[in-house]
Amino acid sequence: MKLWHYIIRRLLLLIPILLGVSIIVFALAHSIPGDPAYMWAGGIKSTPEQVNITKEKFKLNEPLHIQYFYYLSNLFHGDLGISATTGNPVARDLITYFPATFELTTFATIIAIIIGIPLGVVSATKRDKLPDILSRIFALAGASIPIFWLGLALKYIFYYRLGILPAIGRGEVAQTITGLYTIDNLIVGRLDLLVDNIKHLIMPSICLAFVMLATITRVMRSSMLEVLGEDYIRTARAKGLRERKVIYKHALRNALIPTVTVIGMSYGALLAGSVLTETIFSWDGIGCYAVDAIKNLDYSAIMGFTLLVAFIFVIANLIVDILYCIIDPRIRYG
């Protein structure tokens, strides 16, 4: 099967996946106790008339399956509904908030890859020695330390005690072009603002990367140990190849395959699960947007966020599958 045939087939699978996700999330969102019309009309300040008008406006008086039909009909026309929290179209809100989360998650992933893969390789090649022990302790800490605790600890050290990094926010942007502040300031040549953006990124990126970094390190170590025990590695060593060449030319490429899977899945999970980090650092991304939507029983925003996350997961998996074939040409599309 050709690559573009495979990509088209995978993209077509998005339709039933997003449809299934929409049904499940729609049912779950509407099963949450509480009256959304009461909250959308103003909460304790709302009058019965305002609540009835809100129910009529958002068709909340209709049976659940009719409400879903209306939602699905609008969805096929590219309309994700109106957010009761912001009063804006959900699609516009997602376009506004997503770049912040994308920027944060991408920086976190880069940090995790740059540190995690070499750490896993060193840990495997120095098995049961001091670097391996320290690496395993580090990985265990990454899997054990809660994100909110790490975020607060980083803020205490680098903001309150040392005063070298900002505690919250993204910094300023000279001109919004892509929504990615670092890229936008780089494009317009505002290096002073770019440096400030990077300072704002450091703590939340480290916080978000820590769990992913630990996972990459553990998977990379395990994969390298398995590959280093293969016959072709012993043959390469028996032929007199230098150990560095054996590790980085023959072993690393094959050991990367399971690690790439972890990176792809973790990247999707980080995009969807950055809620805590964004809340701690007041990072204005879709994580904070989703939290506000859940607090206000904003069904349209919850649905829009969830469908976006499902879409990201499918695309991340597709990219991982393509990377498989680049890393190991023996793998075929199917």
Side-chain angles (χ1 to χ4, degrees), residues 103 170 173-190 194 197:
E103 185 176 49
R170 302 177 62 193
V173 62
Q175 182 183 351
T176 301
I177 301 172
T178 64
L180 308 174
Y181 282 9
T182 51
I183 302 298
D184 291 347
N185 283 325
L186 187 63
I187 291 174
V188 298
R190 289 297 302 272
L194 173 63
N197 296 147

Side-chain angles (χ1 to χ4, degrees), residues 262-278:
V262 170
I263 292 172
M265 295 300 293
S266 298
Y267 186 73
L270 287 184
L271 279 171
S274 60
V275 175
L276 271 177
T277 305
E278 290 187 5

Side-chain angles (χ1 to χ4, degrees), residues 90-113:
V90 173
R92 187 198 300 172
D93 281 346
L94 293 178
I95 292 172
T96 301
Y97 289 104
F98 180 71
T101 301
F102 179 77
E103 185 176 49
L104 174 61
T105 307
T106 302
F107 266 78
T109 303
I110 291 172
I111 292 173
I113 291 173

Side-chain angles (χ1 to χ4, degrees), residues 247-270:
I247 292 171
Y248 291 102
K249 184 175 180 180
H250 296 281
L252 181 60
R253 190 165 183 169
N254 289 325
L256 276 175
I257 294 175
T259 309
V260 168
T261 305
V262 170
I263 292 172
M265 295 300 293
S266 298
Y267 186 73
L270 287 184

Side-chain angles (χ1 to χ4, degrees), residues 3 6-12 14 264-265 311-324 333:
L3 175 60
Y6 177 73
I7 292 174
I8 290 174
R9 196 181 73 171
R10 290 290 299 271
L11 291 177
L12 288 175
L14 267 171
M265 295 300 293
F311 177 80
I312 290 169
F313 264 103
V314 174
I315 297 299
N317 274 293
L318 175 60
I319 293 173
V320 166
D321 289 345
I322 294 173
L323 286 176
Y324 275 173
Y333 305 108

Side-chain angles (χ1 to χ4, degrees), residues 15 55 74 77 166 196 224 230 242 252-253 299 314 320:
I15 298 173
K55 284 183 177 178
N74 292 332
H77 291 86
D196 185 56
M224 275 296 288
E230 295 288 341
R242 288 184 300 175
L252 181 60
R253 190 165 183 169
Y299 295 152
V314 174
V320 166

